[in-house]
Amino acid sequence: MIAAAALASLLVAADPCGLLALRPGPLPWRAGEVLQFDLEVMGMVKAGTMSMEAGRPMFGGTQIPLKARVRNTSVFAKIRKIVGTAFSWVDAKTLLPERARDDVLEDGVKKISDARIRGDPAAVTIETD
């Protein structure tokens, strides 16, 4: 999970086909809206849960914070216990990522990564702890 948000941001930013233009009008979700998922292995065994939440626009409405939380089940925690939170800040007009940060506790070891995307997607800075 470490750097998952950073990787997703990089993949979106580096997409050669580009993103589709947003429809005019309000965003297709509201601040505070939450999606919840069960993570499964081969559609048979529940491996964990994930939730994603859209935050209120920040900085005069120019950025939207997105937050994801993931936790594996006790069955998979016997192999590797994972609890994590990932944040992404996206441009409110284009939904292109500007920053991604994840904070994961993996078998008791804290792992953090922080990616900042400024202008050119080829010039991304990723810091890890």
Side-chain angles (χ1 to χ4, degrees):
M1 160 99 184
I2 191 70
L7 179 59
S9 295
L10 291 173
L11 290 174
V12 169
D15 180 10
C17 298
L19 293 175
L20 296 174
L22 290 176
R23 291 184 307 194
L27 291 171
W29 68 82
R30 288 182 230 128
E33 188 170 332
V34 178
L35 297 174
Q36 296 181 333
F37 301 91
D38 287 336
L39 305 175
E40 298 178 348
V41 174
M42 299 177 72
M44 297 185 293
V45 180
K46 184 175 176 181
T49 59
M50 181 172 72
S51 66
M52 297 189 304
E53 180 178 354
R56 285 197 162 98
M58 307 170 9
F59 305 119
T62 60
Q63 260 187 9
I64 300 171
L66 305 173
K67 180 179 185 179
R69 293 184 183 135
V70 67
R71 172 184 299 269
N72 62 346
T73 61
S74 58
V75 172
F76 285 89
K78 293 174 186 172
I79 300 167
R80 177 170 284 159
K81 185 175 182 180
I82 297 174
V83 177
T85 304
F87 296 93
S88 182
W89 292 266
V90 299
D91 181 274
K93 291 181 183 172
T94 64
L95 299 184
L96 288 172
E98 295 181 352
R99 181 177 177 194
R101 177 182 172 85
D102 57 52
D103 188 339
V104 178
L105 190 60
E106 187 177 320
D107 283 335
V109 177
K110 189 170 185 116
K111 298 179 179 182
I112 299 171
S113 75
D114 197 341
R116 295 173 191 264
I117 304 161
R118 295 193 175 106
D120 180 13
V124 176
T125 302
I126 300 175
E127 299 170 1
T128 60
D129 287 339

Short mmCIF file of all heavy atoms in Angstrom, two decimals, residues 10 13-14 97-99 114-126:
data_model
loop_
_atom_site.label_atom_id
_atom_site.label_comp_id
_atom_site.label_asym_id
_atom_site.label_seq_id
_atom_site.Cartn_x
_atom_site.Cartn_y
_atom_site.Cartn_z
N LEU A 10 0.62 9.49 -10.15
CA LEU A 10 1.57 9.52 -11.26
C LEU A 10 0.98 8.91 -12.51
O LEU A 10 1.16 9.41 -13.61
CB LEU A 10 2.85 8.77 -10.88
CG LEU A 10 3.73 9.44 -9.83
CD1 LEU A 10 4.86 8.50 -9.44
CD2 LEU A 10 4.26 10.74 -10.33
N ALA A 13 -1.48 11.36 -13.97
CA ALA A 13 -0.80 12.52 -14.54
C ALA A 13 -0.03 12.16 -15.81
O ALA A 13 0.12 12.99 -16.70
CB ALA A 13 0.15 13.12 -13.51
N ALA A 14 0.46 10.94 -15.90
CA ALA A 14 1.29 10.54 -17.04
C ALA A 14 0.49 9.88 -18.16
O ALA A 14 1.05 9.46 -19.15
CB ALA A 14 2.37 9.57 -16.56
N PRO A 97 -4.18 15.35 -10.07
CA PRO A 97 -3.57 15.35 -8.74
C PRO A 97 -2.48 16.41 -8.61
O PRO A 97 -1.74 16.67 -9.55
CB PRO A 97 -2.98 13.94 -8.63
CG PRO A 97 -2.75 13.53 -10.04
CD PRO A 97 -3.82 14.18 -10.86
N GLU A 98 -2.43 17.01 -7.42
CA GLU A 98 -1.38 17.98 -7.12
C GLU A 98 -0.47 17.47 -6.01
O GLU A 98 0.69 17.84 -5.93
CB GLU A 98 -2.00 19.32 -6.73
CG GLU A 98 -2.74 19.96 -7.89
CD GLU A 98 -3.35 21.30 -7.54
OE1 GLU A 98 -3.33 21.70 -6.36
OE2 GLU A 98 -3.83 21.97 -8.47
N ARG A 99 -1.01 16.63 -5.15
CA ARG A 99 -0.23 16.06 -4.05
C ARG A 99 -0.89 14.78 -3.60
O ARG A 99 -2.11 14.64 -3.64
CB ARG A 99 -0.17 17.04 -2.89
CG ARG A 99 0.66 16.54 -1.73
CD ARG A 99 0.75 17.57 -0.62
NE ARG A 99 1.50 17.02 0.50
CZ ARG A 99 1.51 17.56 1.70
NH1 ARG A 99 0.83 18.67 1.93
NH2 ARG A 99 2.20 17.01 2.67
N ASP A 114 5.11 10.90 0.46
CA ASP A 114 4.47 12.17 0.12
C ASP A 114 4.95 12.56 -1.28
O ASP A 114 6.15 12.68 -1.50
CB ASP A 114 4.89 13.23 1.14
CG ASP A 114 3.99 14.45 1.12
OD1 ASP A 114 3.28 14.66 0.10
OD2 ASP A 114 3.98 15.19 2.11
N ALA A 115 4.04 12.73 -2.21
CA ALA A 115 4.38 13.11 -3.59
C ALA A 115 3.75 14.44 -3.91
O ALA A 115 2.57 14.66 -3.64
CB ALA A 115 3.89 12.05 -4.57
N ARG A 116 4.53 15.33 -4.48
CA ARG A 116 4.03 16.64 -4.92
C ARG A 116 4.20 16.73 -6.42
O ARG A 116 5.29 16.50 -6.94
CB ARG A 116 4.78 17.75 -4.21
CG ARG A 116 4.53 17.74 -2.72
CD ARG A 116 5.40 18.73 -1.99
NE ARG A 116 5.33 18.52 -0.57
CZ ARG A 116 4.52 19.17 0.25
NH1 ARG A 116 3.72 20.09 -0.24
NH2 ARG A 116 4.51 18.92 1.53
N ILE A 117 3.13 17.07 -7.09
CA ILE A 117 3.14 17.14 -8.54
C ILE A 117 2.91 18.59 -8.92
O ILE A 117 1.84 19.14 -8.66
CB ILE A 117 2.05 16.23 -9.14
CG1 ILE A 117 2.24 14.82 -8.63
CG2 ILE A 117 2.04 16.30 -10.65
CD1 ILE A 117 1.05 13.93 -8.75
N ARG A 118 3.90 19.20 -9.51
CA ARG A 118 3.79 20.62 -9.87
C ARG A 118 4.05 20.79 -11.36
O ARG A 118 5.16 20.58 -11.82
CB ARG A 118 4.81 21.43 -9.08
CG ARG A 118 4.53 21.40 -7.60
CD ARG A 118 5.35 22.45 -6.89
NE ARG A 118 4.97 22.49 -5.50
CZ ARG A 118 5.72 22.01 -4.51
NH1 ARG A 118 6.89 21.50 -4.77
NH2 ARG A 118 5.30 22.06 -3.27
N GLY A 119 3.03 21.16 -12.08
CA GLY A 119 3.20 21.43 -13.51
C GLY A 119 3.50 20.18 -14.31
O GLY A 119 2.63 19.41 -14.63
N ASP A 120 4.76 19.96 -14.59
CA ASP A 120 5.21 18.85 -15.42
C ASP A 120 5.16 17.54 -14.63
O ASP A 120 5.86 17.40 -13.63
CB ASP A 120 6.65 19.14 -15.88
CG ASP A 120 7.22 18.04 -16.75
OD1 ASP A 120 6.45 17.18 -17.21
OD2 ASP A 120 8.44 18.06 -16.97
N PRO A 121 4.35 16.55 -15.05
CA PRO A 121 4.28 15.28 -14.33
C PRO A 121 5.62 14.54 -14.30
O PRO A 121 5.82 13.67 -13.47
CB PRO A 121 3.24 14.47 -15.10
CG PRO A 121 2.58 15.39 -16.02
CD PRO A 121 3.44 16.59 -16.18
N ALA A 122 6.54 14.89 -15.19
CA ALA A 122 7.86 14.25 -15.17
C ALA A 122 8.72 14.79 -14.04
O ALA A 122 9.77 14.22 -13.72
CB ALA A 122 8.57 14.46 -16.51
N ALA A 123 8.29 15.87 -13.38
CA ALA A 123 9.07 16.48 -12.30
C ALA A 123 8.35 16.29 -10.97
O ALA A 123 7.91 17.23 -10.34
CB ALA A 123 9.30 17.97 -12.57
N VAL A 124 8.20 15.05 -10.55
CA VAL A 124 7.50 14.72 -9.31
C VAL A 124 8.54 14.47 -8.21
O VAL A 124 9.53 13.79 -8.43
CB VAL A 124 6.63 13.46 -9.50
CG1 VAL A 124 5.99 13.04 -8.18
CG2 VAL A 124 5.59 13.69 -10.56
N THR A 125 8.28 15.02 -7.03
CA THR A 125 9.14 14.79 -5.89
C THR A 125 8.41 13.85 -4.94
O THR A 125 7.30 14.15 -4.50
CB THR A 125 9.45 16.12 -5.16
OG1 THR A 125 10.07 17.00 -6.08
CG2 THR A 125 10.35 15.89 -3.96
N ILE A 126 9.03 12.71 -4.62
CA ILE A 126 8.44 11.77 -3.67
C ILE A 126 9.38 11.62 -2.50
O ILE A 126 10.56 11.31 -2.67
CB ILE A 126 8.18 10.39 -4.30
CG1 ILE A 126 7.22 10.52 -5.49
CG2 ILE A 126 7.64 9.41 -3.27
CD1 ILE A 126 6.99 9.24 -6.24
#
